[in-house]
Short mmCIF file of all heavy atoms in Angstrom, two decimals:
data_model
loop_
_atom_site.label_atom_id
_atom_site.label_comp_id
_atom_site.label_asym_id
_atom_site.label_seq_id
_atom_site.Cartn_x
_atom_site.Cartn_y
_atom_site.Cartn_z
N GLU M 144 -4.46 39.67 40.93
CA GLU M 144 -3.79 38.95 39.85
C GLU M 144 -2.35 38.61 40.22
O GLU M 144 -1.87 37.51 39.94
CB GLU M 144 -3.81 39.78 38.57
CG GLU M 144 -5.18 39.88 37.92
CD GLU M 144 -5.24 40.90 36.79
OE1 GLU M 144 -4.53 41.94 36.88
OE2 GLU M 144 -6.00 40.66 35.83
N ARG M 145 -1.65 39.53 40.89
CA ARG M 145 -0.28 39.25 41.34
C ARG M 145 -0.27 38.11 42.35
O ARG M 145 0.58 37.21 42.29
CB ARG M 145 0.36 40.49 41.95
CG ARG M 145 0.95 41.44 40.93
CD ARG M 145 1.83 42.51 41.56
NE ARG M 145 1.11 43.38 42.48
CZ ARG M 145 0.39 44.44 42.11
NH1 ARG M 145 0.30 44.77 40.85
NH2 ARG M 145 -0.23 45.17 43.02
N ASP M 146 -1.22 38.14 43.29
CA ASP M 146 -1.31 37.06 44.28
C ASP M 146 -1.59 35.71 43.60
O ASP M 146 -0.97 34.70 43.94
CB ASP M 146 -2.39 37.35 45.32
CG ASP M 146 -2.03 38.50 46.24
OD1 ASP M 146 -0.84 38.88 46.29
OD2 ASP M 146 -2.95 39.03 46.91
N ALA M 147 -2.52 35.72 42.65
CA ALA M 147 -2.86 34.48 41.93
C ALA M 147 -1.66 33.98 41.13
O ALA M 147 -1.34 32.79 41.16
CB ALA M 147 -4.06 34.72 41.01
N LEU M 148 -0.97 34.89 40.44
CA LEU M 148 0.21 34.50 39.67
C LEU M 148 1.29 33.92 40.58
O LEU M 148 1.90 32.90 40.26
CB LEU M 148 0.75 35.69 38.88
CG LEU M 148 1.99 35.42 38.02
CD1 LEU M 148 1.72 34.34 36.97
CD2 LEU M 148 2.46 36.70 37.36
N SER M 149 1.50 34.54 41.71
CA SER M 149 2.51 34.06 42.66
C SER M 149 2.17 32.65 43.14
O SER M 149 3.04 31.77 43.18
CB SER M 149 2.60 35.01 43.85
OG SER M 149 3.58 34.55 44.75
N THR M 150 0.92 32.42 43.45
CA THR M 150 0.46 31.09 43.90
C THR M 150 0.65 30.06 42.79
O THR M 150 1.16 28.96 43.03
CB THR M 150 -1.01 31.14 44.34
OG1 THR M 150 -1.13 32.07 45.43
CG2 THR M 150 -1.52 29.78 44.76
N ILE M 151 0.26 30.42 41.59
CA ILE M 151 0.36 29.50 40.45
C ILE M 151 1.83 29.19 40.16
O ILE M 151 2.20 28.02 39.97
CB ILE M 151 -0.34 30.10 39.22
CG1 ILE M 151 -1.86 30.11 39.44
CG2 ILE M 151 0.02 29.33 37.95
CD1 ILE M 151 -2.62 30.99 38.46
N LEU M 152 2.67 30.20 40.12
CA LEU M 152 4.09 29.96 39.84
C LEU M 152 4.73 29.11 40.93
O LEU M 152 5.57 28.25 40.62
CB LEU M 152 4.83 31.28 39.67
CG LEU M 152 4.50 32.06 38.40
CD1 LEU M 152 5.21 33.40 38.39
CD2 LEU M 152 4.86 31.27 37.15
N SER M 153 4.36 29.32 42.18
CA SER M 153 4.89 28.48 43.26
C SER M 153 4.51 27.02 43.06
O SER M 153 5.34 26.12 43.27
CB SER M 153 4.37 28.98 44.62
OG SER M 153 4.94 30.23 44.92
N LYS M 154 3.30 26.78 42.63
CA LYS M 154 2.86 25.39 42.35
C LYS M 154 3.68 24.78 41.22
O LYS M 154 4.11 23.63 41.31
CB LYS M 154 1.38 25.36 41.99
CG LYS M 154 0.44 25.51 43.15
CD LYS M 154 -1.00 25.55 42.68
CE LYS M 154 -1.67 24.24 42.90
NZ LYS M 154 -3.12 24.30 42.67
N VAL M 155 3.92 25.56 40.17
CA VAL M 155 4.69 25.06 39.03
C VAL M 155 6.13 24.81 39.45
O VAL M 155 6.73 23.79 39.09
CB VAL M 155 4.60 26.04 37.83
CG1 VAL M 155 5.55 25.62 36.72
CG2 VAL M 155 3.18 26.12 37.32
N ILE M 156 6.71 25.72 40.22
CA ILE M 156 8.08 25.55 40.70
C ILE M 156 8.18 24.28 41.53
O ILE M 156 9.10 23.46 41.35
CB ILE M 156 8.54 26.78 41.51
CG1 ILE M 156 8.74 27.97 40.56
CG2 ILE M 156 9.83 26.48 42.28
CD1 ILE M 156 8.88 29.30 41.27
N ASP M 157 7.26 24.07 42.45
CA ASP M 157 7.27 22.87 43.28
C ASP M 157 7.13 21.61 42.43
O ASP M 157 7.81 20.61 42.67
CB ASP M 157 6.16 22.93 44.33
CG ASP M 157 6.40 23.96 45.41
OD1 ASP M 157 7.55 24.45 45.52
OD2 ASP M 157 5.44 24.30 46.14
N ALA M 158 6.24 21.64 41.45
CA ALA M 158 5.99 20.47 40.62
C ALA M 158 7.20 20.13 39.73
O ALA M 158 7.47 18.97 39.49
CB ALA M 158 4.75 20.69 39.76
#
Side-chain angles (χ1 to χ4, degrees):
E144 288 170 327
R145 277 192 298 277
D146 290 344
L148 180 60
S149 181
T150 299
I151 290 165
L152 290 175
S153 291
K154 284 177 102 171
V155 172
I156 289 167
D157 290 346

